[in-house]
Amino acid sequence: FVHRIIAACFLGLNIENLFEQEYENLIKVFLENLGLAIWDCRKIDQKGIYITSFYYQPILKGKYIIFVRNNTYSNFVEIGEVRELFGMLIHESAQKGILIASSDFTNEAIEFSKGKPLELINRKNLEQLLQKHVGQRYLKKMNLMVIK
């Protein structure tokens, strides 16, 4: 337990300690806090979930496809997963595709996403976004807060 707290001090949020369902629920809360309405959420494989969501506010209004990957099995998300997201984006006629990962992305995956309506959110960016957009009470409840 002490090691978990010490690790949290250095790493920001300790999302690596979450069970798969907890991680997925945390991402759903985050997306809802951003104003996205979740239409559909389903498991795509052992690696994560596929979310179809809609943003109703003017200017950014539209359909969003989101892949949520819990990459405890690998340090990097490969280009194939980003291509899969792009294919779904086109198939669903969505405004934007977002891939949220608890790891990082390969250089090839990053290069592929450039110039496309895709956003890749790695662990570092995810932790910053969670701290900004998810209530502190919720993070404390999940034992994710940094002890300062």
Side-chain angles (χ1 to χ4, degrees), residues 11-145:
L11 297 175
L13 298 176
N14 52 349
I15 60 173
E16 73 276 359
N17 291 335
L18 292 176
F19 292 110
E20 185 176 351
Q21 189 67 45
E22 291 175 320
Y23 175 73
E24 293 167 1
N25 287 338
L26 175 62
I27 299 303
K28 288 179 204 173
V29 167
F30 162 65
L31 294 172
E32 289 171 345
N33 285 354
L34 290 176
L36 289 163
I38 296 175
W39 282 3
D40 185 33
C41 180
R42 59 188 122 120
K43 200 105 173 112
I44 44 177
D45 55 28
Q46 294 292 17
K47 300 175 191 173
I49 56 175
Y50 167 86
I51 297 172
T52 304
S53 62
F54 201 85
Y55 192 76
Y56 291 99
Q57 300 300 315
I59 299 174
L60 300 176
K61 187 176 186 176
K63 186 178 191 180
Y64 291 80
I65 303 298
I66 303 161
F67 282 5
V68 180
R69 298 294 197 190
N70 190 0
N71 291 59
T72 53
Y73 63 91
S74 170
N75 290 331
F76 294 96
V77 175
E78 301 287 336
I79 188 172
E81 294 180 68
V82 180
R83 285 180 193 222
E84 181 182 352
L85 172 61
F86 188 59
M88 290 301 296
L89 170 92
I90 292 168
H91 177 74
E92 296 280 338
S93 300
Q95 180 152 334
K96 187 176 195 176
I98 303 167
L99 203 157
I100 300 172
S102 59
S103 63
D104 216 334
F105 298 89
T106 63
N107 289 334
E108 294 83 12
I110 293 167
E111 283 301 313
F112 178 81
S113 71
K114 289 182 178 175
K116 296 176 179 69
L118 297 173
E119 187 164 354
L120 307 181
I121 300 175
N122 66 9
R123 177 187 169 151
K124 180 182 175 185
N125 292 333
L126 175 60
E127 289 176 346
Q128 291 170 351
L129 289 166
L130 289 172
Q131 286 183 333
K132 184 176 179 182
H133 296 286
V134 176
Q136 300 300 312
R137 187 178 308 152
Y138 186 85
L139 294 174
K140 285 178 185 175
K141 177 182 168 190
M142 294 190 71
N143 196 21
L144 290 174
M145 285 305 300

